[in-house]
Amino acid sequence: MADLIFDEAHLFAVCVLLGVFLAFVYDVIRIFRYMFKHADWLVDIEDLLYWIYTAWTVFATLFRYNEGILRGFVFVGMFVGTIGYLLTISNVLLCLVRKMLPFWEKIKKHMKAPFGRVKQFLRKTLKNVATSVTMAIRGR
């Protein structure tokens, strides 16, 4: 009987940590969105991939630790872990990231100049190649 209770307590602890981990993964996605603005459809795809990953991770955890049996305390554990993370670490992490965003914008601005020159060079070179190929095809 003690082994059964220990196994369930262990599963509960694993699920709390899983809730923390999944909330952290979503925070990483949110930080990525703060740093790089992108279209709404891309946000939708990111969310879809996150939820597919979440479903797979929860399924794999339940299968590994509990032979795939659904138990209420498993979902309570994930909920407690997620809410605990969101109320504590997440706020601190996102606050630090927001304070670092102006610094990140300066870095991006300085990085754009060299890449802009490479992009301009490649565009000009490819345009010249396309013109040469067009002239060769036309027989001039």
Side-chain angles (χ1 to χ4, degrees), residues 51-115:
W51 284 111
I52 290 171
Y53 174 75
T54 298
W56 178 256
T57 305
V58 169
F59 171 75
T61 302
L62 285 175
F63 192 75
R64 179 175 181 200
Y65 289 97
N66 202 30
E67 298 174 356
I69 301 170
L70 295 177
R71 303 258 174 134
F73 69 86
V74 167
F75 296 105
V76 170
M78 285 186 278
F79 182 75
V80 166
T82 300
I83 295 299
Y85 173 82
L86 290 176
L87 293 177
T88 56
I89 301 169
S90 178
N91 290 332
V92 174
L93 180 65
L94 293 178
C95 182
L96 288 173
V97 167
R98 284 187 196 112
K99 289 185 182 207
M100 292 174 47
L101 277 178
F103 178 70
W104 173 250
E105 293 298 326
K106 288 179 183 178
I107 290 174
K108 281 190 345 187
K109 187 182 290 185
H110 290 294
M111 293 299 287
K112 276 186 178 180
F115 287 114

Side-chain angles (χ1 to χ4, degrees), residues 15 29 37 42 50 72-73 78 82 91-92 95 113 123 131 134:
C15 288
I29 294 171
K37 303 293 183 202
L42 197 56
Y50 169 76
F73 69 86
M78 285 186 278
T82 300
N91 290 332
V92 174
C95 182
R123 183 178 285 163
T131 304
T134 303

Side-chain angles (χ1 to χ4, degrees), residues 2 4 20 26-27 37-38 40 61 66 91 95 127 139:
L4 179 64
V20 169
Y26 197 74
D27 269 356
K37 303 293 183 202
H38 43 279
D40 289 341
T61 302
N66 202 30
N91 290 332
C95 182
K127 187 176 181 180

